[in-house]
Each structure stands twice: as structure tokens, then as C-alpha cells.
């Protein structure tokens, strides 16, 4: 979990230094004050340099500044690790972990597992398949040791096969070799994803039992292949079409999570509000899986009041109070937060910290920092 975060020239923050509670952290501030940016900084560190809101990453650097700097003290269960990152508008140009220099921020992404519930989360239901693939692969990356090396091998095979398809002079034996490589690694990834989705389903059932007890959602891996066909057979069936298009149409990179409600595809049936609950449920379903391998997640919850009605906000907070993961949650002001917490005894019992942010200046309302 994240103990301490320092920011320099990140979005509208010139400087910030914050010591976080291991349980609940409430960030209060008006619209445009810097609440989301704080969550975004944490997500950036934990996700290997991504943002959960769209837009160009070059905009993370404060206007007029040369580079944004982020420094985090992360408790990884055994000791405190110190991570520093510098990002210029052009990209990350320095990383330090306990004095050493990792090659990429993604190399240290196991350090701080972060999940976010935010206005874009609903895209897990309505958005493109790539988002759902990334979502399940994120979980496997944290819980399944074999996954990352396997994914890298599969990705290399995919690149080689695609390059060959586009080369204009295709040696059938060489293509056959890459078919085998891509098919073998894809089938193994598919096996891991199927097991992962089974566990995720159990977590989703638990989360929805609190969030929206009447909603029964089923998750299944969708491969896009014909019934009874394995990846190698699909690659061979699609070979001529792949050559014409210049890319591979079967493999690990085409899987998707099919989300059903009853017998219907959820995105064709659910309202936007219901889809948000499903998406939140899916994100929360990752928490127990991460916990099982001895890790603690940092959960970022942005703009809850704008996202859910009162009843579902209440239910979500009830669930969060049960999870025991480090949470940061934003709200406009103390009365709004009080209304959100309302009579939630479980939440009131949690040791929390409260912060206020105004024009990129953060101050603690509970501690001495
Ligand atoms: N690169 C940048 N340099 C300076 N300011 C920036 C930069 N990028 C965004 N901002 C500004 O930072 C401010 C904080 O934005 P942020 O999204 O964190 O606000 P927020 O408190 O979450 O607001 P809301 O409640 O409206 O969601 C905004 O005024 C935004 O215009």
C-alpha cells in the first residue's frame, strides 16, 4: 500500500506531500481543484505509467513546467520501498527504485496494485474488447507468475507472424512455425484466463450481492473462434484472409469477456447506471483475488456522488468498508461526504484521514502534515 506520495509539477500541483491512511482517505475539494489529479498520480505509479482518464499523457506535466516528478513510499508487505519517477511531456526519462534504476516503470508495476472506480469504468461493459482484455490481464499479472513471460512470448510470436503476413513474400514453412508458436502460447493464456474468470465470477457474485442483489451477471471467455476449433485450426482457416488483411485474426489478442445478464448480452440490456454497477462489481471482484496472493490493493474511487444514486452509493461504501483495502475517495465538501457516509456505521468505524485540496494545494484536515 501507499504510505506517502510527493508530487512536483503534476497537473495543477506545483508541490504536494501526503501521508496516507492504510484504510480510508477522503479527498475533498471543489470542481477543478485537483482531486482526480491526485488519484491519477497514484494510478500512474501503480499502473506502469498509465492514466485512467483519456487524453494525452504529456498533459500530466504542469503547464509551463519541464517535467512532473512523483515519489512514492510503498509498503510491499515486508518493507518500505522508495520509488521516484520523472516524466517530461515526451515520456518517462528517469525511474529509481531504492536507488537502483529499473528499465521501465512496468517492471515495478507489481509493487503497488491499483484499481480505480471512476466515470470511465462503465466502458468495461460498453467499451471495446481491448479494455476487458487489459482488465483481466491486469489481474493475472498480479496473481499468476507464469502469465507475464507467457504473454511476452505470445506477443513476440504475434508480431513476427504479422510482420511475415505483411512482408509480401511468405514462406509457408515459416508461417507454419509462427502459427504453431502463436497457437501454443494463445491456448495456454486462454487456459489461465478461463480459470481467472471463474474466480472473478465468484468475486463478482459477492460484490453484486451487496451492490445490486437482484442483478445476476455471468462472465465468460469469448474467443471468437468457431465451436470445437482450437487456435491453430482457426489460424489455418483464416490464413488467406490474414494474408490479405496483413494481420492475425485468431489468438490471445482477440479474446474478450462476454458479460451476460440472463440469456442476453449485458450491454444490450443494461441501463447506464446498471452497467456502472456491473463494472464496479467487476473491478471490486479483483480485490479478493489480489488479497489471496498476499497483496493489498490501493483502490481509487472518483466522483462517487455524480456516479451513483444514494442507495447504491450507500451499498458500495458498505462493501468498501468490508474489504480492508487502502481506499482513496473524492467528494466535493464535508457536507457532501457526510451525506454520503450518512448512517454507515461500518465506514464511520474505519480509521480515516481527510484532506482538502484547493487550486492544487493539498492540506490534511486530520493530521499534522
Ligand atoms: N497540465 C496541466 N497543468 C496545469 N493544470 C492542469 C493540467 N492538466 C489539468 N489541469 C487543471 O487541473 C485542475 C484539476 O483537475 P482535476 O480533474 O484534478 O479536478 P477535480 O478536483 O477532480 O475536479 P472535478 O470535481 O470537476 O472532477 C483543473 O483545473 C485542470 O484544468
Amino acid at each position: 500500500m501507499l504510505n506517502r506520495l510527493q508530487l512536483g509539477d503534476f497537473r495543477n500541483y506545483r508541490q504536494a506531500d501526503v501521508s496516507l491512511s492504510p484504510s480510508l482517505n477522503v479527498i475533498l475539494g471543489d470542481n477543478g481543484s485537483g482531486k482526480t489529479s491526485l488519484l491519477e498520480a497514484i494510478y500512474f505509479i501503480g499502473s506502469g505509467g498509465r492514466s485512467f482518464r483519456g487524453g494525452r499523457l504529456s498533459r500530466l506535466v504542469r503547464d509551463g513546467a519541464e517535467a512532473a516528478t512523483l515519489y512514492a513510499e510503498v509498503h510491499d508487505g515486508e518493507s518500505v520501498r522508495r520509488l521516484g519517477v520523472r516524466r517530461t511531456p515526451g515520456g518517462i526519462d528517469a525511474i529509481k527504485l531504492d536507488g537502483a534504476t529499473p528499465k521501465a516503470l512496468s517492471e515495478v508495476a507489481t509493487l503497488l496494485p491499483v484499481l480505480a472506480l471512476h466515470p470511465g469504468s462503465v466502458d468495461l461493459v460498453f467499451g471495446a474488447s481491448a479494455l476487458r482484455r487489459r482488465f483481466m490481464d491486469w489481474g493475472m499479472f498480479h496473481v499468476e507468475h507464469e502469465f507475464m513471460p507467457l504473454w511476452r512470448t505470445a506477443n513476440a510470436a504475434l508480431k513476427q507472424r504479422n510482420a511475415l503476413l505483411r512482408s509480401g513474400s511468405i514462406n509457408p514453412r515459416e508461417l507454419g512455425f509462427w502459427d504453431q508458436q502463436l497457437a501454443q502460447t494463445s491456448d495456454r493464456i486462454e487456459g489461465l484466463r478461463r480459470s481467472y474468470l471463474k474466480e472473478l465470477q465468484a468475486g463478482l457474485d459477492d460484490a453484486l450481492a451487496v451492490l445490486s442483489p437482484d442483478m445476476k451477471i455471468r462472465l465468460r471467455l469469448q474467443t471468437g473462434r468457431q465451436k470445437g476449433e482450437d487456435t491453430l485450426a482457426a489460424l489455418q482457416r483464416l490464413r488467406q484472409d490474414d494474408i490479405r488483411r496483413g494481420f492475425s485474426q485468431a489468438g490471445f489478442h482477440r479474446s474478450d469477456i462476454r458479460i451476460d445478464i440472463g440469456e442476453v448480452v449485458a450491454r444490450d440490456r443494461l441501463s447506464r447506471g446498471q452497467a456502472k454497477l456491473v463494472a464496479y462489481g467487476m473491478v471490486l471482484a479483483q480485490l479478493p483475488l489480489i488479497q489471496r496472493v498476499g497483496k493489498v490493493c490501493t483502490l481509487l474511487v472518483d466522483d462517487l456522488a455524480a456516479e451513483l444514486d444514494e442507495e447504491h452509493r450507500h451499498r458500495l461504501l458498505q462493501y468498501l468498508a468490508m474489504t480492508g483495502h487502502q481506499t482513496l475517495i473524492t467528494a466535493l465538501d464535508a457536507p457532501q461526504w457526510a451525506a454520503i457516509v450518512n448512517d454507515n456505521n461500518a465506514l464511520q468505524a474505519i480509521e480515516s484521514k481527510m484532506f482538502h485540496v484547493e487550486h492544487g494545494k493539498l492540506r490534511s484536515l486530520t493530521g499534522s502534515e
Side-chain angles (χ1 to χ4, degrees):
M1 76 182 71
L2 186 61
N3 289 357
R4 182 177 178 195
L5 176 72
Q6 288 182 326
L7 298 180
D9 292 331
F10 185 93
R11 292 280 190 197
N12 65 333
Y13 288 89
R14 268 178 196 279
Q15 271 190 329
D17 187 349
V18 53
S19 292
L20 294 168
S21 158
S23 39
L24 182 65
N25 299 273
V26 184
I27 321 293
L28 304 175
D30 291 339
N31 291 133
S33 56
K35 304 180 296 296
T36 305
S37 301
L38 184 72
L39 304 192
E40 196 180 21
I42 297 170
Y43 191 84
F44 182 86
I45 291 170
S47 67
R50 293 176 183 277
S51 171
F52 58 76
R53 52 177 162 193
R56 280 178 294 164
L57 286 169
S58 58
R59 304 301 308 148
L60 297 180
V61 180
R62 192 174 62 79
D63 292 346
E66 210 177 287
T69 53
L70 300 98
Y71 168 78
E73 290 177 4
V74 179
H75 199 277
D76 68 359
E78 286 170 8
S79 59
V80 175
R81 314 287 303 273
R82 292 173 173 76
L83 177 69
V85 186
R86 194 181 119 104
R87 199 195 193 283
T88 68
I92 292 173
D93 72 347
I95 311 169
K96 278 266 184 257
L97 177 65
D98 298 329
T101 308
K103 270 203 214 97
L105 196 53
S106 54
E107 271 189 19
V108 295
T110 48
L111 202 60
L112 183 69
V114 283
L115 285 169
L117 302 179
H118 59 97
S121 297
V122 71
D123 292 345
L124 260 185
V125 176
F126 291 134
S129 63
L131 289 171
R132 286 179 292 278
R133 263 196 311 279
R134 194 184 301 150
F135 167 79
M136 65 180 151
D137 290 354
W138 176 90
M140 293 199 302
F141 169 70
H142 283 285
V143 305
E144 188 62 68
H145 292 305
E146 335 170 38
F147 176 72
M148 207 54 208
L150 188 57
W151 188 90
R152 284 206 186 99
T153 315
N155 207 39
L158 175 65
K159 280 192 175 151
Q160 294 284 354
R161 190 178 189 271
N162 285 348
L164 189 62
L165 292 171
R166 285 191 213 108
S167 70
S169 64
I170 296 169
N171 174 338
R173 271 180 56 193
E174 201 183 339
L175 187 55
F177 174 79
W178 290 119
D179 284 358
Q180 290 279 356
Q181 293 290 309
L182 181 57
Q184 271 171 17
T185 46
S186 292
D187 288 344
R188 282 177 62 202
I189 289 179
E190 197 176 303
L192 293 177
R193 282 176 175 160
R194 275 188 209 285
S195 325
Y196 192 77
L197 276 190
K198 231 184 231 163
E199 294 190 53
L200 201 69
Q201 176 76 58
L204 177 63
D205 293 344
D206 289 347
L208 286 182
V210 178
L211 288 184
S212 186
D214 295 335
M215 203 147 44
K216 298 282 173 274
I217 296 291
R218 198 157 146 242
L219 306 177
R220 269 186 295 152
L221 191 74
Q222 202 169 32
T223 64
R225 297 196 303 272
Q226 293 177 350
K227 217 172 173 197
E229 188 181 51
D230 63 13
T231 310
L232 188 60
L235 285 170
Q236 284 164 356
R237 172 174 58 82
L238 292 162
R239 182 176 270 200
Q240 289 313 317
D241 206 34
D242 281 0
I243 293 172
R244 199 168 50 78
R245 292 172 189 240
F247 63 87
S248 308
Q249 296 172 85
F252 74 105
H253 59 297
R254 303 295 281 217
S255 299
D256 194 356
I257 305 175
R258 183 178 157 131
I259 309 171
D260 283 339
I261 178 159
E263 297 305 311
V264 187
V265 179
R267 69 165 170 273
D268 295 340
R269 170 60 58 93
L270 297 179
S271 73
R272 205 171 161 79
Q274 288 173 318
K276 274 181 199 167
L277 290 168
V278 172
Y280 283 11
M282 287 172 68
V283 174
L284 295 171
Q286 304 245 32
L287 295 174
L289 276 71
I290 299 288
Q291 208 158 24
R292 218 168 293 155
V293 294
K295 294 185 184 180
V296 178
C297 253
T298 296
L299 183 66
L300 311 172
V301 187
D302 198 17
D303 226 356
L304 199 57
E307 287 297 289
L308 297 180
D309 62 33
E310 197 181 328
E311 185 198 334
H312 290 103
R313 262 190 330 249
H314 187 76
R315 287 175 175 276
L316 177 69
L317 289 172
Q318 211 176 328
Y319 186 84
L320 293 183
M322 285 157 42
T323 65
H325 287 260
Q326 184 178 40
T327 304
L328 283 91
I329 189 162
T330 66
L332 285 176
D333 51 30
Q336 192 200 56
W337 175 246
I340 289 176
V341 176
N342 203 0
D343 52 354
N344 192 322
N345 295 336
L347 203 68
Q348 282 169 5
I350 292 178
E351 187 202 317
S352 63
K353 281 193 174 184
M354 199 171 270
F355 302 89
H356 184 258
V357 55
E358 193 175 359
H359 303 306
K361 289 203 174 70
L362 191 76
R363 71 191 164 89
S364 172
L365 300 177
T366 38
S368 55
E369 61 265 42

